[in-house]
Amino acid sequence: MDLVFRANRAITPDGGTAADVGVRDGRIVAVAERGRLVGDRVVELAEDEVLLPGLVDTHVHVNDPGRAEWEGFATATRAAAAGGVTTIVDMPLNSLPPTTSVDALEVKRAAARGNAHVDVGFWGGIVPGNLADLRPLHDAGVFGFKCFLIHSGVDEFPHVSSAQLAASLTELRSFDALAIVHAEHPSDVTEPGPDYPGFLASRPHRAEHHAIADLVRVARETGARVHVLHLSSGEALSEVEAAKEEGLRLTAETCPHYLTFVAEEIGDRATQFKCCPPIRDAANRELVWRGLRAGSIDLVVSDHSPCTPELKEGDFATAWGGIASLQLGLSAVWTQARQRGHALTDVVRWMAAGPAELVGLRRKGRIAEGHDADLVVFAPDEAFVVDRAALHHRNPVTPYHGRPLAGVVRQTWLRGKRITGDRPQGRLLSRGDA
């Protein structure tokens, strides 16, 4: 074998165990009892280190091309690698042009080519008027299609009506593509106030509950596969749970910030915490954790949505809504998970295996024979305090600044090669890549 990773603990589909992981030509070819495998090179983990599969983050806004001053592929993917993420799937909006046609997809791929430190796939977009573009985008390799039920935050990516959602899901059902949905209902959202309580009141629980109920109804009528993005409301989980019990093909995700922060701790000018849907109160946070524990929520992804520092200035009525966290998700989730009795096996399921399964990446997200040798050396008991100046994101804006977290990523490997940040080695992925 080219390479053997020797770990006192490795997180495999069978749990945490002492293991050797053998690699040949960038692929895992053997997982055996520790000390059994022989390779040209052996990477022996320290006593305090655990070998994890590379994380898969299916909710990342890179914003390149068009708004590369917000974030770009080189900086985003370097941050991803520093946080143990070896595959991202880029959202179709906030870049210019948005990824709503094959031509726009090719522009996006050109921006990413040669600039990615991790593997990168792409979502397509559903907007009014692009129904005829969906099948060609699917054939061109996007992993599914994103739409908004409310204003997206950028005018070039408008939201869809109920009728347009139904027509789009009917079209996607014809070739069994996945729809991923920003589920807040515009009828329940009001103008935000400048302070945090005023902003939170403008996007109440019922906005998510109402939107998910509408989405469930259309999913039932069309038979389409649907995925609820960035669920923040514990009250809306009842709709997700009922849909799953009914047998509808519906999944849901949440994000590290909804599992970490609480509204009670957010000051009126702390706009680095602004996101949509919003961070809610402490009791709600525990409801979201309960949904994750029960399996009502399937996965955890970042919704990394950065911007320039200037766009975060002002108050909660005017500042950009988005949280930059791509580099910190693993540590943030692990910090909270361990306090609630969860193990690293749970975190790996939520942040590696689950997202890979959502988009059909059959060689990602697991330490198992036949999978890509995307691996992370993680020290779960080492603590650190987040310093925004030490992050690889393009702009040093994050609500995690100054926050103590547990768990440090010491090494990240992509297909058996260590990511150093010196030379991009990521590949552009298409739907169906095994």
Side-chain angles (χ1 to χ4, degrees):
M1 297 174 199
D2 306 327
L3 184 64
V4 171
F5 289 84
R6 182 157 294 153
N8 289 319
R9 191 174 171 212
I11 305 300
T12 74
D14 296 324
T17 182
D20 280 359
V21 177
V23 177
R24 184 184 300 121
D25 297 327
R27 197 76 56 83
I28 297 172
V29 294
V31 180
E33 183 181 342
R34 188 182 187 282
R36 296 294 297 274
L37 300 182
V38 177
D40 296 337
R41 181 184 177 194
V42 176
V43 175
E44 187 147 0
L45 273 65
E47 189 70 30
D48 67 334
E49 295 175 340
V50 181
L51 190 66
L52 309 181
L55 305 189
V56 178
D57 193 334
T58 54
H59 197 147
V60 179
H61 295 268
V62 178
N63 308 330
D64 191 7
R67 292 190 175 99
E69 70 275 13
W70 294 17
E71 188 70 278
F73 281 101
T75 50
T77 57
R78 183 67 188 90
V85 177
T86 53
T87 303
I88 67 169
V89 186
D90 176 57
M91 284 292 169
L93 72 155
N94 298 348
S95 55
L96 295 169
T99 315
T100 55
S101 69
V102 172
D103 287 346
L105 174 63
E106 291 309 313
V107 172
K108 177 70 72 78
R109 283 176 167 159
R113 194 169 289 116
N115 291 312
H117 293 275
V118 303
D119 287 353
V120 179
F122 303 95
W123 295 106
I126 299 171
V127 294
N130 83 324
L131 196 64
D133 292 294
L134 303 185
R135 183 61 184 258
L137 275 165
H138 177 79
D139 292 342
V142 299
F143 285 87
F145 297 87
K146 181 176 186 177
C147 67
F148 280 74
L149 305 184
I150 194 171
H151 193 279
S152 70
V154 290
D155 292 338
E156 68 271 8
F157 198 96
H159 67 285
V160 296
S161 66
S162 293
Q164 290 163 339
L165 175 67
S168 298
L169 292 192
T170 298
E171 174 69 5
L172 296 188
R173 178 67 182 89
S174 70
F175 46 91
D176 202 31
L178 174 66
I180 62 173
V181 182
H182 182 122
E184 290 181 284
H185 202 283
S187 67
D188 300 307
V189 173
T190 59
E191 286 297 317
D195 58 9
Y196 195 74
F199 170 66
L200 182 58
S202 75
R203 303 184 93 102
H205 290 274
R206 65 177 177 275
E208 288 188 76
H209 200 284
H210 188 175
I212 295 172
D214 278 2
L215 177 61
V216 168
R217 174 182 55 79
V218 178
R220 181 184 299 114
E221 293 169 353
T222 62
R225 290 193 295 142
V226 296
H227 178 72
V228 177
L229 295 168
H230 46 49
L231 189 143
S232 82
S233 171
E235 294 181 14
L237 276 169
S238 59
E239 292 289 346
V240 173
E241 292 161 353
K244 287 173 176 279
E245 290 174 6
E246 187 180 336
L248 300 181
R249 298 194 296 169
L250 180 142
T251 51
E253 70 185 36
T254 193
C255 305
H257 40 279
Y258 301 128
L259 298 169
T260 299
F261 303 118
V262 294
E264 294 91 334
E265 298 173 352
I266 300 175
D268 288 344
R269 305 293 290 186
T271 53
Q272 66 270 26
F273 290 90
K274 183 180 177 181
C275 57
C276 301
I279 294 163
R280 304 188 189 277
D281 61 30
N284 177 81
R285 180 181 62 178
E286 298 315 307
L287 290 176
V288 176
W289 270 107
R290 190 179 304 167
L292 190 58
R293 184 179 302 110
S296 307
I297 299 172
D298 301 88
L299 49 113
V300 181
V301 287
S302 70
D303 190 10
H304 178 67
S305 186
C307 66
T308 61
E310 294 76 20
L311 290 174
K312 275 293 191 183
E313 292 176 354
D315 58 35
F316 281 95
T318 59
W320 172 258
I323 286 180
S325 62
L326 184 53
Q327 187 172 332
L328 300 169
L330 173 58
S331 299
V333 173
W334 171 235
T335 299
Q336 297 293 322
R338 70 192 306 199
Q339 294 174 13
R340 292 165 175 81
H342 290 288
L344 276 172
T345 50
D346 298 319
V347 175
V348 165
R349 184 175 70 254
W350 301 329
M351 302 186 77
E357 183 177 352
L358 175 75
V359 296
L361 286 172
R362 295 185 295 276
R363 291 207 304 260
K364 301 291 188 182
R366 289 178 172 84
I367 297 178
E369 291 182 20
H371 281 59
D372 287 349
D374 299 349
L375 299 164
V376 176
V377 177
F378 185 62
D381 296 324
E382 183 177 348
F384 69 105
V385 176
V386 177
D387 178 1
R388 61 190 170 208
L391 301 178
H392 294 281
H393 309 151
R394 175 150 293 172
N395 294 292
V397 180
T398 178
Y400 290 95
H401 176 65
R403 192 172 188 92
L405 296 178
V408 171
V409 173
R410 292 182 177 167
Q411 299 177 30
T412 304
W413 298 70
L414 181 67
R415 289 186 303 277
K417 294 182 179 179
R418 186 173 177 181
I419 301 174
T420 62
D422 298 328
R423 183 177 60 85
Q425 57 184 330
R427 296 176 181 173
L428 305 189
L429 305 177
S430 292
R431 178 191 47 80
D433 287 344

